[in-house]
Structures are given as C-alpha cells and as structure tokens.
Amino acid sequence: MSDDTHGGVTTMRAVVRDAYCSPDALELGVVPRPVAGDDEVLVRVHAAGVDPGVWHVVTGLPYVVRVALGPFRPKVRVPGTDVAGRVEAVGRNVTRFRPGDEVFGTCGGSFGEYACARQERIAPKPVNVTFEQAAAIPTSALTALQGLRDRGGIRAGQRVLITGAGGGVGTFAVQLAKTFGADVTGVCGAGKTDLVRSLGADDAVDHTRRDFADGSRRYDLILDTAGGRPLSHLRRALTPGGTLVLVGGEGGGRWLQGTDRQMRAMALSPFVGQNLRVMLLSPEGREKDLRFLRERVESGEVTPVVAGTYPLGEVPEAIRCMRDVRPGGKIVVTV
Ligand SMILES: NC(=O)c1ccc[n+]([C@@H]2O[C@H](COP(=O)([O-])OP(=O)(O)OC[C@H]3O[C@@H](n4cnc5c(N)ncnc54)[C@H](OP(=O)(O)O)[C@@H]3O)[C@@H](O)[C@H]2O)c1
C-alpha cells in the first residue's frame, strides 16, 4: 500500500482515466483517496473482479452505454465495480458495518487501494473464501441469480440450459440452478466441459461439436449469457411455453452491440407462446441477494471459480485475458 498525503490531501494508487480509451492505455496513477458519504462505507480494497462490464465502462462501447456512463467523458475516473476488502471507515448513517469488517459487493471504482460503496450494495464476505474469490462473486453471481430466479422463474425439476456456462455468469448460473433443483445443461467451448460438469451440470455440450438446438432436447428455461446466437436458434431449443432470458453477449456493432437482439425479443414476446425476457441487473434488493449468495457459498453449494489473478498494475493484461483467452470462471485483480 502506498497511501500518502500531498498538500493535506490523502492520496492512493488507482487505475485512472479521463476519457474513454482502449484497456491497453490504462495506467496506474495517484489520486485523492475517496471519503465515505453519510450512507457509504470506505473499503480498503483487497481484490477487484473483472468482467465484460469493465471493458464497456473503459471503452464506452457500444455507444449506447454512454447515456448512463457519461456522454462525452466517463463520470467515474477509476474503473472497476466488484470489490472485496476490509471496512476502513463508515459514514454517519451507516449502522450495519464497522471498521475492520470484511465485506464484498459493488462500488464505484474498485481498481484502486480504496473505494466507497453504498451500504446497501455490500454484505459481509463469506468466511470460507479468500478476498480474490469473494471479488469474483458480485456482478456475475447476482446476474446469474436474478436471471434464473427473477427473470426466469426457475423451478425444481425444470430442464435448464445455460450458454456461456464456463464464463463468469455461467459458472455461477450452473451451480445456482442446481441449488434450485433443476436439471442443468451447460453449453461451452471444448476446453471447459470438464469444468462445467465439475460445477454440477448434468450435461455439458461442447458447442464446437454439437448444436444444442438440433431438436433432440428442449428446455423449459434458457439463460443465454454467451450471446451471438439468433433468437430463432435459441427458441428452437425452448419448449413451447418455455422462458428465454437474454443476459448478454459480446461482439456486434459499435452503436448497439447485442442490444438490438434484446429489443427484438421484447417486441416479439407478446405474440408468441414462449416468454422472451431481457436481463438487466437490478440494484433492488442487492444486499439481500449478496447475503443469499454468501449463505450458498458458506454452505459449499456455490464456489467461485477464479481463473487467474493480476496485480493492480496489470489491469490491461487482466482485461485482455478475460476477453481474448476466455478462461473458465473469473479474472481478479489483487490490490
Ligand atoms: N444483463 C446484465 O445485467 C448483465 C450482467 C452481467 C454480464 N452481462 C453480460 O453477459 C455476458 C456474459 O458475461 P460473463 O461475465 O459471463 O462473460 P465471460 O466470463 O466472458 O463469459 C462469456 C462466455 O461466453 C462465451 N462466448 C461465446 N462467444 C463469445 C464471444 N464472441 N466473446 C466472448 N465470449 C463468448 C465464452 O464461452 P466459450 O469460450 O466456452 O464459448 C465465454 O466463456 C457479457 O456480454 C456481459 O456483458 C450482462
């Protein structure tokens, strides 16, 4: 740690940028240490999760995301959302956390030595995992949970298909779907079928060898995290009254990326027997969901898969690994 005081301002090391840029242009800098607002907790960051959202925040692509992130330049200088660390200080309205508590959750700017998080966006860290594992959980596991339970209405005994099953969201979705009592099939690349089975999937389909929509099996619920496939292809694998939840997908144009597919799904859904739904991670009930995930992790039903760790000074390499190597599970930055 290198926090220091310059001209009365306490500073810290962080990844900073003032414009949308390539992840390769990200560098470490020295910035003022954030100060917790009344409802916030200042966290000494130990680990920060990396997921495709980080790439979108850094590049400002597709352009449609700039509506929320800042049209001309990013509103938040330090990227990174998922955090695990120790509470350093709390705002005056914070009642649930005290300095020294180990926490995990989401915040604005976790690629730095300190970050401020709203108290309802964090929860006590699962006691049986490392900070690195805890930082792998928030965005990916919350997305898997809300996608299966809230958007998908998952029920015991259903046949559930998860695309991108070896990825960040997918590795949590496979495990969570099993805890809901579903029969789970995971779709992934050739090198990840063993991983997907080891997470509890009843079947793993290598998409380079087998088409899950070949008509041999239909699913009550499909969670599509890999994107890229046309709606018609996904619907062929769905039962007549089944539910498709579109989570995401990389690639596509600079303006909309996969969002046009999501808009088509919403427009089509009222006119077909199948339910075509779009997943948008909600901040509602986040603390409750983080506590739910913490219990599943502590009970051993869900285990975060950390594919690799990179130090804070190597965030560009971490992002490159996530996008280009696509290892199974999550990449985490250690601080
Ligand atoms: N809607 C929301 O609220 C929400 C929240 C979180 C994430 N997301 C989105 O959901 C998607 C999945 O997130 P994630 O964290 O699971 O990502 P990830 O860790 O990169 O995993 C995605 C998986 O999709 C597969 N894939 C197939 N084609 C791909 C391509 N062209 N580029 C990258 N991966 C490809 C890969 O599996 P194989 O290599 O095995 O084929 C990869 O493991 C992303 O698009 C992300 O932005 C949306």
Side-chain angles (χ1 to χ4, degrees):
M1 192 174 30
S2 68
D3 76 53
D4 209 348
T5 303
H6 292 293
V9 177
T10 306
T11 57
M12 66 169 188
R13 287 185 318 134
V15 171
V16 271
R17 49 61 203 258
D18 290 306
Y20 294 114
C21 63
S22 157
D24 292 335
L26 291 176
E27 286 181 352
L28 266 183
V30 174
V31 293
R33 191 167 113 175
V35 176
D38 289 349
D39 299 300
E40 289 182 332
V41 167
L42 178 68
V43 178
R44 166 68 183 103
V45 180
H46 287 289
V50 180
D51 78 300
V54 166
W55 183 88
H56 295 294
V57 165
V58 170
T59 59
L61 295 173
Y63 294 123
V64 69
V65 302
R66 298 191 188 193
V67 174
L69 301 176
F72 305 111
R73 67 179 66 85
K75 289 185 217 161
V76 180
R77 291 184 76 202
V78 179
T81 302
D82 288 357
V83 66
R86 217 174 246 111
V87 173
E88 180 79 10
V90 297
R92 73 165 89 165
N93 297 337
V94 173
T95 50
R96 297 193 286 272
F97 300 99
R98 284 185 311 203
D101 288 351
E102 295 184 350
V103 294
F104 78 124
T106 57
C107 67
S110 59
F111 291 168
E113 288 173 327
Y114 293 88
C116 284
R118 295 184 62 82
Q119 61 172 333
E120 68 276 12
R121 304 256 168 119
I122 57 171
K125 173 180 115 12
V127 294
N128 59 333
V129 297
T130 61
F131 283 113
E132 288 81 2
Q133 287 174 299
I137 300 173
T139 296
S140 300
L142 287 167
T143 303
L145 176 63
Q146 292 182 11
L148 291 168
R149 183 194 62 191
D150 304 341
R151 305 301 294 151
I154 190 169
R155 292 191 309 278
Q158 282 187 323
R159 285 181 171 185
V160 174
L161 182 86
I162 294 157
T163 71
V169 176
T171 48
F172 284 106
V174 168
Q175 299 180 78
L176 286 166
K178 287 307 298 177
T179 71
F180 286 112
D183 180 281
V184 178
T185 299
V187 181
C188 56
K192 295 181 206 155
T193 51
D194 286 347
L195 168 69
V196 169
R197 280 203 187 86
S198 76
L199 298 172
D202 300 279
D203 192 13
V205 175
D206 169 1
H207 61 68
T208 63
R209 300 179 60 146
R210 209 174 104 202
D211 178 9
F212 62 79
D214 62 6
S216 59
R217 208 164 181 218
R218 286 183 177 244
Y219 300 89
D220 303 300
L221 170 61
I222 298 180
L223 189 77
D224 181 42
T225 82
R229 290 179 183 86
L231 284 178
S232 56
H233 191 254
L234 293 164
R235 288 184 58 209
R236 267 206 303 280
L238 204 56
T239 54
T243 300
L244 167 66
V245 179
L246 297 175
V247 174
E250 300 302 300
R254 292 171 74 83
W255 281 94
L256 293 174
Q257 207 158 343
T259 48
D260 51 333
R261 192 177 65 130
Q262 298 175 345
M263 285 187 262
R264 281 200 307 280
M266 286 192 290
L268 184 63
S269 192
F271 304 103
V272 296
Q274 299 163 327
N275 303 299
L276 312 179
R277 296 183 179 155
V278 171
M279 168 69 202
L280 199 56
L281 186 56
S282 165
E284 287 302 309
R286 181 156 303 183
E287 193 198 348
K288 202 163 127 268
D289 285 349
L290 284 170
R291 286 176 186 267
F292 174 92
L293 291 167
R294 172 188 175 225
E295 283 168 20
R296 298 285 93 73
V297 171
E298 289 186 343
S299 70
E301 291 166 284
V302 172
T303 303
V305 179
V306 175
T309 60
Y310 288 80
L312 188 60
E314 293 180 16
V315 164
E317 288 81 356
I319 296 175
R320 214 178 302 133
C321 176
M322 174 199 63
R323 284 189 62 88
D324 300 342
V325 180
R326 288 193 226 153
K330 293 285 300 269
I331 296 296
V332 173
V333 168
T334 53
V335 183

